[in-house]
Amino acid sequence: MSEQLERLDRLPLRDNLRGLSPYGAPQLDVPILLNVNENTHGVPADVQAAITDAVAKAAMGLNRYPDREFTELREALAEYLGHGLGPENIWAANGSNEVLQQILQAFGGPGRTALGFPPTYSMYPLLASGTDTAYVTGVRADDYGLDAESAAAQVRELQPNIVFLCSPNNPTGTGLGLDVVKAVYEAGEASQAIIIVDEAYHEFAHDDTPSALTLLPGRERLIVSRTMSKAFALAGARLGYMAAAPEVTDAIRLVRLPYHLSAVTQATALAALQHREALMADVEDIKVQRDRIVNELLRLGLKPAASDSNYVFFGGLENPHQVWQGLLDAGVLIRDVGIPGHLRVTAGTEAETTVFLEALETLLDGRAPARA
């Protein structure tokens, strides 16, 4: 045991947190970072200017607490989502992780369980541990898919209090059919399960991939979680949000910290929403590069999963860590998700994508690629 772990072990830490490792991907200084699904296009100059102006105005009132209900932001988010939603349906926090944490604080806790279907977003069990919620795992098909019949049967058997459905799923990138969401919701009736559909990457989905937002009417236990970190290129601003029945947002108010969204965060998010056309143009470019990656990986004889996200999960690698290291040596960082034979790469700009694809092809040919 390392000295750091020994010191930690001497503290009166909760038993369910002992032995856990904090969430985190490698943060390395290389020219091309394609490992954490960031929007590598950056914030367009006109949107930067609008955010700077909005934050400057907010700075004049920083001696006062911000709007605790972030009313203007909830109105803007409801207008952006559409589907007949109003501000009473919207909640936001510092990143979608905090939204999920607040849901678990309100509906999880000691004696309650949350169900996930790995491989999926690795924060789910950590959020469960942090709220003393038991985390149980379901199973997926051999191709990592999840169908309605299997998912519903597992919910009926395990009787969870909370169910995580990640769509598009991270790390595989595949979207869920609405039949899965409906079946899981109905199966959760017996345990009154809260069903969370995590749509962090939905803006990158293909046009024929529907959102679970369409299922909200009449389903008071359904929550759809989103973020401004990806499509809006605001990973550094930390703004996540959710849509649900008004009684759910009222429940979250019971556990939120006072004034949890700063005036600066609210101003930044509002400015980005008011200039979303420029940001969504970059989303379309990212989708082009994502599809390009899929097609090129197929040409190289690899096995990319169908992706509704801004990243591609691909298999067919005999030694994925060796490929990961070879790309890193070439100045390209992608993600080793720990799944045998597979890696995951974020779709970057056209130039970044080109460097990745050329370096990968060189590695697969048995040659050492030039450094980016």
Side-chain angles (χ1 to χ4, degrees), residues 4-221:
Q4 181 182 9
L5 289 177
E6 287 178 356
R7 291 198 306 268
L8 178 62
D9 200 50
R10 289 196 293 268
L11 292 175
L13 192 66
R14 288 192 348 232
D15 288 342
N16 69 316
L17 296 180
R18 292 189 181 279
L20 295 183
S21 298
Y23 175 85
Q27 291 183 306
L28 305 175
D29 185 16
V30 297
I32 298 179
L33 299 170
L34 302 175
N35 66 321
V36 289
N37 304 335
E38 294 163 317
N39 185 331
T40 68
H41 286 63
V43 180
D46 58 338
V47 185
Q48 289 183 38
I51 291 173
T52 300
D53 182 59
V55 170
K57 291 177 180 176
M60 292 187 290
L62 289 181
N63 60 308
R64 302 292 186 181
Y65 287 118
D67 175 9
R68 185 178 58 226
E69 289 296 310
F70 48 97
T71 307
E72 188 178 0
L73 178 55
R74 286 190 295 116
E75 290 172 348
L77 287 168
E79 187 272 330
Y80 167 67
L81 290 179
H83 297 282
L85 296 168
E88 68 277 5
N89 299 109
I90 305 299
W91 187 255
N94 294 283
S96 59
N97 285 321
E98 187 177 46
V99 172
L100 297 176
Q101 181 184 59
Q102 290 174 339
I103 294 169
L104 283 162
Q105 287 174 319
F107 299 105
R112 298 193 174 193
T113 61
L115 167 66
F117 296 91
T120 191
Y121 185 34
S122 58
M123 271 301 298
Y124 297 154
L126 293 177
L127 289 166
S129 293
T131 56
D132 211 7
T133 306
Y135 187 75
V136 294
T137 56
V139 296
R140 292 176 175 268
D142 291 341
D143 64 355
Y144 304 116
L146 186 65
D147 64 63
E149 183 179 358
S150 171
Q154 293 180 69
V155 170
R156 284 192 294 268
E157 176 187 355
L158 296 170
Q159 298 276 295
N161 302 101
I162 297 169
V163 181
F164 290 107
L165 295 175
C166 194
S167 180
N169 186 48
N170 184 2
T172 60
T174 49
L176 283 178
L178 294 187
D179 61 325
V180 179
V181 180
K182 289 189 285 188
V184 166
Y185 187 88
E186 292 168 5
E189 178 70 29
S191 59
Q192 284 292 284
I194 293 291
I195 312 300
I196 305 168
V197 183
D198 184 350
E199 292 189 345
Y201 299 91
H202 182 78
E203 284 91 345
F204 302 101
H206 293 280
D207 292 340
D208 59 352
T209 301
S211 168
L213 291 172
T214 61
L215 301 180
L216 284 173
R219 293 181 173 88
E220 73 280 354
R221 293 180 288 103

Side-chain angles (χ1 to χ4, degrees), residues 223-274:
I223 299 173
V224 180
S225 172
R226 293 281 188 97
T227 184
M228 295 185 74
S229 292
K230 311 301 181 181
F232 283 85
L234 291 182
R238 312 309 302 132
L239 196 290
Y241 59 103
M242 72 177 203
E247 54 266 41
V248 173
T249 61
D250 285 341
I252 301 303
R253 284 179 174 86
L254 300 175
V255 299
R256 60 102 180 267
L257 293 174
Y259 311 104
H260 70 292
L261 275 184
S262 76
V264 171
T265 299
Q266 293 181 44
T268 299
L270 277 166
L273 285 163
Q274 290 161 1

Side-chain angles (χ1 to χ4, degrees), residues 355-368:
V355 172
F356 159 70
L357 289 170
E358 290 179 351
L360 178 63
E361 184 168 13
T362 299
L363 282 169
L364 294 178
D365 288 342
R367 295 176 285 125

